[in-house]
Amino acid sequence: MTHYIGILSGKGGVAKTTTSVNLSAALNYLGRDVILVDANLSTPNVGLHLGAPIVPINLHHVLKGKNKIVEAMYLHPSGIKIIPGGLSIQDLQGIRPEKLKNILPELDGLADIVIIDGAAGLGKEALSLMEAVKELIIVTNPELPAVADALKTIKIAESLGKNIRGVVVSKTGSEGDIPFNNLQTILDKQILAVIPHDKAIRQSLLRKDPVVFTHPRSKSAIAYKKMAANLIGVEFNETVEGNFSKFLRNLKIKN
Ligand SMILES: Nc1ncnc2c1ncn2[C@@H]1O[C@H](COP(=O)(O)OP(=O)(O)O)[C@@H](O)[C@H]1O
Ligand SMILES: [Mg+2]
């Protein structure tokens, strides 16, 4: 059975796409067949995170009724199948985001898990994704504006009968972070992962590959892999690599 999970936030820039890409990569690393759909229609950037070339058929063509969703699916070298969005302004003309709920089921049986990266805010794009899936993961940062917006998204999703699988708190570790127990109380949801602010993420973006592959033993990569393992109920016991160990590996004294 194919399982669909939408990734939404509320506030923009909190790490939805980073989470979508790395959760997909980590699930793939754990042996699951994954499709990653870029449903952030006005500013799609899954392809940018993954260095995917501009492709002839994308999700925008599908939402205009020109193509089938399977025709917009490409195998990325990382092993994830991606369905990118169109990057040009013309791509946006005439799309019908509300069609997402009709076209996603065509992916049934083509993967174990479909991760759908969503748009920020509570406009038509985000709501179309909310309507198209049963299950959502909400991404936030440990600061009040992000948490307030996440709460609004959670309330609306729940009023539509959606299941909030939990919350990812990203870019943590700065002075003034809202403490996790307060976050849990405010949002009243399980915290699925705490992803520290990690410079490896920026480096992975430059290398256009998920951090779980470019820096597999960084704090953020380990946190994403743990989250993926918990989601599918498998054990995971890799640990963050210490500086001394990294030093030895760089000298090629150890693997
Ligand atoms: N854990 C992290 N540590 C450092 N930077 C991060 C982290 N997660 C995301 N970022 C950076 O924050 C910015 C926004 O992330 P992105 O995933 O594009 O957010 P969204 O999709 O919610 O708009 C990007 O530049 C990304 O590289
Ligand atoms: Mg994004």
Side-chain angles (χ1 to χ4, degrees):
M1 201 186 98
T2 304
H3 202 90
Y4 294 79
I5 305 178
I7 311 290
L8 282 175
S9 58
K11 189 175 177 295
V14 290
K16 283 181 301 303
T17 304
T18 306
T19 297
S20 302
V21 164
N22 281 287
L23 182 58
S24 300
L27 288 165
N28 191 250
Y29 168 82
L30 295 169
R32 296 300 186 273
D33 205 355
V34 183
I35 301 174
L36 171 57
V37 181
D38 194 344
N40 183 350
L41 301 169
S42 47
T43 50
N45 43 33
V46 165
L48 302 180
H49 278 243
L50 289 174
I54 295 183
V55 293
I57 302 169
N58 57 49
L59 184 63
H60 287 72
H61 295 111
V62 182
L63 291 171
K64 287 180 194 184
K66 290 186 180 164
N67 294 88
K68 293 267 177 211
I69 193 164
V70 287
E71 295 175 299
M73 185 161 73
Y74 302 87
L75 182 62
H76 184 262
S78 63
I80 312 167
K81 294 171 192 156
I82 62 172
I83 300 183
L87 296 175
S88 75
I89 295 172
Q90 285 92 319
D91 281 326
L92 282 173
Q93 287 159 5
I95 53 161
R96 298 181 54 197
E98 68 279 7
K99 285 271 174 211
L100 202 58
K101 63 173 180 298
N102 306 106
I103 60 170
L104 279 182
E106 289 173 27
L107 299 175
D108 279 358
L110 299 183
D112 301 314
I113 302 166
V114 179
I115 302 285
I116 310 115
D117 184 26
L122 287 164
K124 197 171 180 181
E125 283 181 47
L127 291 179
S128 299
L129 171 54
M130 225 182 246
E131 280 164 5
V133 293
K134 293 197 184 92
E135 207 166 284
L136 291 163
I137 288 175
I138 307 296
V139 184
T140 190
N141 298 150
E143 51 172 22
L144 200 54
V147 175
D149 293 356
L151 185 60
K152 215 182 255 176
T153 302
I154 290 171
K155 293 290 174 211
I156 293 182
E158 286 184 332
S159 75
L160 293 172
K162 305 299 168 176
N163 173 26
I164 308 291
R165 187 75 180 250
V167 174
V168 173
V169 189
S170 188
K171 305 198 213 182
T172 65
S174 301
E175 207 181 322
D177 277 7
I178 300 178
F180 298 126
N181 44 359
N182 292 10
L183 263 178
Q184 215 154 6
T185 312
I186 299 170
L187 297 176
D188 194 20
K189 289 287 158 255
Q190 192 192 348
I191 298 204
L192 299 173
V194 174
I195 317 288
H197 198 285
D198 187 353
K199 59 181 190 299
I201 297 264
R202 176 65 61 86
Q203 289 163 1
S204 74
L205 198 59
L206 289 174
R207 286 165 63 177
K208 299 194 185 324
D209 228 356
V211 77
V212 297
F213 295 142
T214 61
H215 301 74
R217 295 178 68 189
S218 62
K219 286 183 182 163
S220 52
I222 295 287
Y224 277 123
K225 285 190 270 188
K226 271 191 190 148
M227 173 187 174
N230 283 339
L231 273 181
I232 56 175
V234 301
E235 257 206 56
F236 179 78
N237 42 29
E238 271 178 46
T239 49
V240 172
E241 183 174 48
N243 285 338
F244 185 60
S245 181
K246 203 184 291 174
F247 173 71
L248 293 180
R249 190 165 48 81
N250 286 340
L251 290 177
K252 306 213 182 315
I253 291 172
K254 78 184 268 291
N255 282 321

